[in-house]
Structures are given as structure tokens and as C-alpha cells.
């Protein structure tokens, strides 16, 4: 069955979130934002951030980086552009309105692709990951930071009970690291090479998916 997109509905939701997003997440997700930016920068200077939102991660990329950010919401991007100007973020080379599942970017253009706290919001995560792989250079990495569901045990039971509440803030208890591993296994050159906790652990994790060189 083909994936049905509600892009208009998503854009409307992001428009409503844009004025408040920073106040909610600026400190709560800072650890993951810093670590995602550092992991991406370690791969090389050319970085694509998918789901750049209001630009909370942009300040953490080093000055020598060349960062392009894409997002579905023009209202979120407007907030990101304000940060670029007010904080003098010269490492940001472009901010573009774009669908993660249809990236209008050339093949093998980036050393790393960061996906900070957005993978569970994408209607077709595997399709988006396919696009990220396409624009990723050999030897590069996709860096995913996200709330990840437990694979079993008491924590999975609790998360299942809390699923309706968690869904309201855009997270999923159903999205697990095993789903990323399963996607990587469908291609001969992609592999999950690292999974590490980020604050507030154990619910949030940083996953590095490397493309063979």
C-alpha cells in the first residue's frame, strides 16, 4: 500500500507550533542537539540537516562547516533564518522548504545528514532514509536523534500505555532502533554503527548509520 501524505495538515500543525517550539525544546533537547551536530561535523564539512525546524541545532555546528537545512514548514524556517542573522551563523549556507521524502538535491552531495528529533514525524521514514542515503557521500553518516521506543520489557509496557499522550507532542512509542537497523539491512552499503543514550536517557537515543566508503 502506498503511503498517504497529509502535507497540508503537517504544515498547518508546524505553523501553530512555530511560535512556541523554542520555549519548549531549547533546553530539553540541547544534549541531543549538540551531540548530533558534533557527530555530523566529525564526518566532514558538508552537512544536510533534515527537519531543521526553528534552527535550534544550527548554533552547534562548527564555523568551518557548510550546513544546508531543509524543512516542510516555511514558518519554522522563518524562525531559523532569524537565528542565522542574529547569531551570525556563517556556517549555514542555505535554508530551504523541502519534503524529506523528495529532496531536490544532487546525489552524493553531503558528508553527513542529521535528523534531529523528526524521524517519527515523517509519514514514510524509510522513503526519507532512502533520500538521505541518495544525497550522502560514500563514507558518510546519517545521524538520527530521537525518542526511541523500547524493544521489550517493563519500559515497553509503560510506553504502550502512554502512547496516546506521547503522540500529542509528535513522538512515537512504536518507532524503535530495530526499524532503523531493518532499513539499513535493505541496502548493501548502510549499517548502524553506534547507538548511544542522550538526555533524557533512556528514552532518547543517538543513532549513527554509516554508508560504506
Amino acid at each position: 500500500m502506498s503511503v498517504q501524505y497529509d502535507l497540508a495538515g503537517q504544515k498547518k500543525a508546524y505553523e501553530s507550533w512555530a511560535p512556541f517550539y523554542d520555549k519548549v525544546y531549547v533546553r530539553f533537547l540541547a544534549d541531543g542537539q549538540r551531540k548530533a551536530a558534533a557527530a555530523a561535523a566529525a564526518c566532514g564539512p558538508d552537512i544536510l540537516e533534515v527537519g531543521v525546524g526553528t534552527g535550534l541545532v544550527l548554533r552547534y555546528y562548527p564555523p568551518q562547516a557548510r550546513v544546508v537545512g531543509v524543512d516542510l514548514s516555511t514558518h519554522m524556517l522563518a524562525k531559523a533564518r532569524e537565528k542565522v542573522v542574529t547569531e551570525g551563523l556563517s556556517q549555514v549556507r542555505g535554508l530551504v522548504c523541502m519534503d524529506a521524502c523528495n529532496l531536490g538535491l544532487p546525489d552524493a552531495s553531503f558528508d553527513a545528514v542529521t535528523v534531529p528529533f523528526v524521524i517519527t514525524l515523517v509519514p514514510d521514514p524509510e522513503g526519507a532514509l532512502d533520500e538521505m542515503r541518495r544525497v550522502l557521500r560514500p563514507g558518510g553518516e546519517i545521524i538520527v536523534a530521537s525518542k526511541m521506543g523500547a524493544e521489550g520489557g517493563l519500559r515497553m509496557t509503560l510506553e504502550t500505555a502512554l502512547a496516546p499522550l506521547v503522540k500529542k507532542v509528535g513522538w512515537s512509542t512504536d518507532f524503535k532502533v530495530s526499524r532503523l537497523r531493518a532499513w539499513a539491512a535493505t541496502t548493501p552499503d548502510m549499517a548502524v554503527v553506534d547507538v548511544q543514550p542522550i538526555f533524557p536517557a533512556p528514552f532518547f537515543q543517538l543513532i549513527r548509520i554509516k554508508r560504506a566508503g
Side-chain angles (χ1 to χ4, degrees):
M1 181 181 294
S2 62
V3 176
Q4 299 298 312
Y5 294 94
D6 181 17
L7 295 185
Q10 282 188 299
K11 289 178 181 179
K12 187 67 176 177
Y14 296 152
E15 179 182 347
S16 300
W17 260 106
F20 311 106
Y21 189 88
D22 285 11
K23 294 177 182 178
V24 175
Y25 292 118
V26 67
R27 291 197 178 101
F28 184 64
L29 301 179
D31 181 57
Q33 292 161 358
R34 282 192 296 267
K35 289 179 177 176
C43 298
D46 294 312
I47 301 169
L48 172 67
E49 184 176 322
V50 174
V52 68
T54 62
L56 288 176
V57 184
L58 297 176
R59 67 191 63 168
Y60 298 120
Y61 295 108
Q64 66 270 24
R66 298 185 290 264
V67 182
V68 175
V70 301
D71 200 276
L72 190 62
S73 169
T74 56
H75 291 81
M76 291 281 198
L77 287 170
K79 296 290 184 181
R81 291 189 180 100
E82 289 177 9
K83 289 184 179 66
V84 171
V85 174
T86 59
E87 299 180 25
L89 303 178
S90 60
Q91 65 269 50
V92 180
R93 302 302 175 91
L95 295 170
V96 187
C97 187
M98 200 172 287
D99 179 5
C101 295
N102 187 24
L103 297 172
L105 299 163
D107 295 354
S109 302
F110 299 94
D111 299 307
V113 180
T114 50
V115 197
F117 306 101
V118 75
I119 195 70
T120 62
L121 298 174
V122 180
D124 179 13
E126 287 77 14
L129 289 164
D130 287 342
E131 276 289 88
M132 295 174 207
R133 175 187 172 274
R134 180 183 65 79
V135 303
L136 187 66
R137 291 172 181 151
E141 295 184 8
I142 299 172
I143 314 293
V144 177
S146 184
K147 162 72 178 70
M148 289 288 164
E151 304 284 353
L154 177 60
R155 189 183 134 203
M156 188 176 76
T157 301
L158 292 173
E159 287 180 347
T160 300
L162 293 172
L165 178 62
V166 171
K167 188 176 182 180
K168 292 181 183 296
V169 294
W171 295 331
S172 170
T173 58
D174 295 326
F175 203 105
K176 300 173 173 59
V177 174
S178 58
R179 185 167 179 175
L180 296 176
R181 294 189 190 277
W183 170 80
T186 65
T187 63
D189 61 348
M190 300 297 294
V192 174
V193 296
D194 185 41
V195 178
Q196 58 179 276
I198 51 179
F199 181 84
F203 303 104
F204 289 80
Q205 293 175 303
L206 185 78
I207 303 97
R208 294 170 44 224
I209 312 171
K210 188 175 182 67
R211 184 173 187 180

